[in-house]
Amino acid sequence: PVNQCSQMGIEYVLKSERIGDYRVTITKDTFGQYRAILKHIKNDIIVSAILFDQFKTIAFKYTLPEYRGNGFTKQLFVYIQSIVKRKFYHSDNLTESGKASI
């Protein structure tokens, strides 16, 4: 949830919209970090999220195991670029599963 991530400053919502059974929320904090969150509305769980550092590089991304293989982090990555109208970057320090999800 907004302002519940310990690695973020004070967040404000840039955009939040419902897409089917999901809610996509884009936030930015006081340090210039962004977060893209995908929440399943009916199950009331966060399915996938990406945290970007102040340089717009992925600092952390995660998808719940039972939702992997759906391309959610790829979609969030493209979505945030289209909303913010800026280029975001993949980290050079990805795990093997992280590399597979690019």
Side-chain angles (χ1 to χ4, degrees), residues 8-33:
M8 299 285 288
I10 298 172
E11 293 178 287
Y12 59 93
V13 175
L14 294 176
K15 178 149 183 132
S16 183
E17 73 174 310
R18 183 177 180 156
I19 301 173
D21 290 338
Y22 297 93
R23 173 157 301 280
V24 181
T25 304
I26 304 297
T27 67
K28 185 177 181 182
D29 76 358
T30 52
F31 301 109
Q33 300 180 117

Side-chain angles (χ1 to χ4, degrees), residues 79-98:
Y79 182 80
I80 195 169
Q81 289 187 111
S82 70
I83 297 302
V84 178
K85 306 286 189 230
R86 295 190 179 174
K87 184 157 177 60
F88 286 76
Y89 305 95
H90 293 282
S91 173
D92 293 332
N93 302 315
L94 294 173
T95 62
E96 289 303 314
S97 61

Side-chain angles (χ1 to χ4, degrees), residues 39-54:
K39 182 177 182 176
H40 192 280
I41 296 170
K42 292 179 184 176
N43 295 340
D44 194 35
I45 56 172
I46 294 176
V47 171
S48 188
I50 304 175
L51 171 65
F52 296 91
D53 64 20
Q54 66 271 26

